[in-house]
Amino acid sequence: MEMEYLDARLNEYFAGRVVRKDLTGTIKQGANVPTYVLEYLLGMYCATDDEEAIHDGVERVKKILADNYVRPDEAEKVKSRIKELGQYTVIDKLTVKLNEKRDIYEAEFSNLGIKGVKVNSEYVKKYDKLLVGGIWAILKMEYFYDEESRHNNPFSIASLKPIQMPNMDLNEILEGRKQFTKDEWIDVLIRSTGLEPTQLEPMTRWHLLLRLVPLVENNYNLCELGPRGTGKSHVYKEISPNSILISGGQTTVANLFYNMSSRSIGLVGLWDCVAFDEVAGIHFKDKDGIQIMKDYMASGSFARGKEEKNANASMVFVGNINESLDFLLKTSHLFAPFPEGMANDSAFFDRMHYYLPGWEIPKMRPELITNNYGFIVDYLAEYLREMRKQSFADTIDRHFKLGNNLNQRDVIAVRKTVSGMMKLLYPHGEYTRDDAAEVLEYALVGRRRVKEQLKKIGGMEFYDVHFSYIDRETLEEEFVSVPEQGGGKLIPEGLGKPGHVYLVGKGDSGMIGVFKLENQAVSGTGKFERTGLGSRKEVKESTDTAFRYFTANCKNVSSGITTKNKDYFMHATDLQGIGMSSELALAEFIGLCSSALDRPVQESLVVLGNITVSGTIERISDFANVLQVCVDSGAKRVLIPAASVVDLQTVPPELLIKVQPIFYSDPIDAVFKALGAV
């Protein structure tokens, strides 16, 4: 009943602007046209709740598509029809180029397959997207063959009408919005994109709304990674004629930003939103491509040649996560699917305003496709475009202020998300304090998710992730959290097996990571065998140092330890895939003692530090970042060399209180404290 009620309200307040979405799905199966093209026609003939009128309208649309839409396999038939009749109407996508030699604009038709058709310059001035990417249009085509000028194309365009709404009355939307509650309006917007909100969780609905923010907010940078089949690219390809989807990720600076030879601006100047499908394949042919992109994402401008150019296009990055979420969190970070040149570039990801968790959106199923009324997508697209001229970024200032842990980039990101969501939810400007708080919290979570991953990539530079907002009336501070902030527990709770030791150190790649050493002592003749170390000489030398020190000093640990009638086996695991560390000596010495005594180390313990052959303890470099990795990995206790006490002042207090530091003076002391003997 509720669905019918909402449909009736939509037809009452937005008569002629809504369409039944199941009609779109029914007709689309027979004609491979973008949704906004199809609904433009449905809006002309089926924007009503009268069943008989809808039926007649659908038949009319089907006939128009059957007669006028150019199927690529029937191109020759349509060309023949234009020739024989002299004039014929077609629906096709066309792209225009300037032919400088002839000083005319020439069109290329996508499905019709003809090139070099003269285009009136008035159309080009009016619809500049003809020049980049092209547009769908209803075209009246003519045919005239002149024997005397054979080089001229006999095809010509008598009239060109882009397939989009002829006008947009924003007041109509604003007044209409007042008739719906917040939840009803969310349902309307989601149904307008073709999905059924009643089948979705409340948070999922918010995620689907966020996909629209790049279309309503200037210079918004969004990243969405998740499983396949969740409709990540659908919005940017089908819903709006103002966005362009770059499939495959291959592009050039000239195409995306500015072409120096033709002196023409690229995609960012001609579209409201530029989306990259499959981020793993993003590749610039120009070396400076990523740097220019970073510049643009930060400021909305870029330098080419002697001048600086400004543009308003939002940047969207969508792609698939191939591993499980837990695996990514434990071994890497959530930006890992990006190509090698970007994957560990903290400066690039710091420019992301929001990370949309694609794994929280279900895969598309038939029951998720709506049969109810929603806005004609082109009407929706024009509303979104019109709202780009406004800013709602100051919404939060009335009631709240942001916490101290947000830096300037965090503040900009949160404000942009708030502005975009408020434009979608409350374009009429009527909302409560709780409404504003809800949007603000949602914005903070998405930016914090970005920051949590930056912390993994860039270390302590991005430590301030404790995002909060303060109520101006009560002065209460509310903190937000993200489900993934823990980074997975690489170090399990509870006592481990004897001989099992965790350590944190620098891997072969230079990154700080977690490593596990598993030792076992069995009856034998004093051999020491090692696996999992890789081919680096320094790594093997580190374990040799450990065994030599163990052989020379084990009696100082316990008179019961023997090396002559036992064999020792060790296996090392690089838990985060960053390349094996060469800082293994101390941890391995503890592991050998633990296995020899058949006594496990303390629960959730991480060993820091390394020893030389003589037993000298090496000081820990980059102490604060090392400790951060310990906390993120699930460590409760950290074994720290006494020489590093002075480094504690570099560690934020919030981090320090999360672990129990245990200081040791020498390797023997380290063994006793690791085993809990003192």
Side-chain angles (χ1 to χ4, degrees), residues 8 17 64 83 89 99 115 169 198 207 239 249 267 330-331 362-363 385 397 424 440 470 515 563 584 592 661 674:
R17 306 298 194 188
I64 289 170
K83 178 183 181 303
T89 302
N99 185 335
K115 298 179 181 178
D169 182 4
T198 57
H207 293 336
I239 299 302
L267 300 174
K330 285 181 180 179
T331 62
K363 292 197 173 194
R385 188 168 210 198
D397 297 332
L424 290 168
L440 179 55
I470 300 162
F515 306 89
T563 56
L584 305 178
L592 287 164

Side-chain angles (χ1 to χ4, degrees), residues 2-16:
E2 186 191 340
M3 288 189 257
E4 293 175 8
Y5 172 71
L6 193 55
D7 287 349
R9 300 270 302 287
L10 269 177
N11 275 288
E12 181 183 349
Y13 296 110
F14 293 101

Side-chain angles (χ1 to χ4, degrees), residues 341-361:
M342 296 178 176
N344 290 305
D345 187 342
S346 57
F348 175 76
F349 295 123
D350 197 19
R351 288 153 168 79
M352 292 290 179
H353 296 138
Y354 205 100
Y355 189 121
L356 202 163
W359 53 89
E360 293 183 6
I361 296 174

Side-chain angles (χ1 to χ4, degrees), residues 253 257 282-284 286-297 339-342 345 348 351:
V253 171
F257 296 105
I282 293 177
H283 176 68
F284 278 96
D286 321 73
K287 288 182 180 176
D288 59 346
I290 291 174
Q291 196 55 47
I292 293 173
M293 185 183 273
K294 284 197 289 194
D295 185 19
Y296 175 74
M297 287 168 71
E340 196 175 338
M342 296 178 176
D345 187 342
F348 175 76
R351 288 153 168 79

Side-chain angles (χ1 to χ4, degrees), residues 441-542:
E441 280 191 25
Y442 183 74
L444 283 164
V445 168
R447 177 60 187 177
R448 177 164 180 179
R449 191 175 277 112
V450 171
K451 212 63 183 290
E452 289 283 353
Q453 305 316 307
L454 284 172
K455 190 171 69 174
K456 290 188 172 188
I457 300 168
M460 292 310 294
E461 182 188 350
F462 302 101
Y463 178 73
D464 292 330
V465 296
H466 300 288
F467 287 5
S468 63
Y469 64 93
I470 300 162
D471 190 309
R472 288 186 182 274
E473 278 189 16
T474 63
L475 298 179
E476 287 181 10
E477 189 168 12
E478 292 285 338
F479 287 85
V480 299
S481 60
V482 295
E484 312 85 26
Q485 69 194 59
K489 297 291 182 267
L490 286 172
I491 300 164
E493 293 183 4
L495 282 173
K497 294 180 180 178
H500 289 202
V501 181
Y502 290 92
L503 70 128
V504 167
K506 277 193 179 168
D508 188 24
S509 63
M511 291 178 69
I512 301 166
V514 187
F515 306 89
K516 185 181 182 183
L517 305 178
E518 299 173 45
N519 290 274
Q520 194 177 6
V522 297
S523 298
T525 57
K527 289 189 295 187
F528 180 47
E529 292 186 13
R530 303 149 298 177
T531 55
L533 296 178
S535 57
R536 274 179 72 211
K537 188 174 79 171
E538 296 90 338
V539 178
K540 290 180 178 176
E541 286 176 355
S542 183

Side-chain angles (χ1 to χ4, degrees), residues 9 70 88 150 174 230 314 316 321 327 378 429 471 560 625 646:
R9 300 270 302 287
V70 182
Y88 192 68
R150 295 183 183 182
L174 302 183
T230 56
S314 297
V316 177
I321 290 179
F327 180 80
D378 205 55
D471 190 309
N625 279 328
V646 294

Side-chain angles (χ1 to χ4, degrees), residues 14-125:
F14 293 101
R17 306 298 194 188
V18 292
V19 68
R20 236 175 59 204
K21 294 293 172 172
D22 58 330
L23 304 178
T24 308
T26 305
I27 301 177
K28 194 167 170 59
Q29 292 168 7
N32 189 22
V33 294
T35 305
Y36 55 84
V37 172
L38 187 54
E39 291 196 2
Y40 174 82
L41 296 169
L42 287 169
M44 287 174 69
Y45 302 109
C46 306
T48 175
D49 56 354
D50 185 322
E51 285 294 327
E52 194 173 328
I54 288 174
H55 181 268
D56 293 344
V58 168
E59 293 305 313
R60 183 96 180 261
V61 171
K62 284 181 178 176
K63 188 170 182 349
I64 289 170
L65 288 171
D67 293 345
N68 305 114
Y69 171 68
V70 182
R71 287 176 43 177
D73 58 338
E74 293 185 348
E76 293 302 319
K77 181 178 164 184
V78 175
K79 284 194 288 188
S80 168
R81 197 168 287 176
I82 299 169
K83 178 183 181 303
E84 298 305 325
L85 297 174
Q87 194 179 73
Y88 192 68
T89 302
V90 299
I91 298 172
D92 200 355
K93 187 179 181 183
L94 72 161
T95 310
V96 173
K97 289 180 181 176
L98 174 65
N99 185 335
E100 319 78 301
K101 292 177 181 176
R102 297 182 62 198
D103 191 32
I104 60 168
Y105 290 103
E106 292 178 341
E108 180 178 344
F109 288 72
S110 178
N111 291 351
L112 200 54
I114 54 177
K115 298 179 181 178
V117 180
K118 186 179 177 182
V119 179
N120 191 317
S121 59
E122 286 301 310
Y123 292 130
V124 177
K125 290 175 188 173

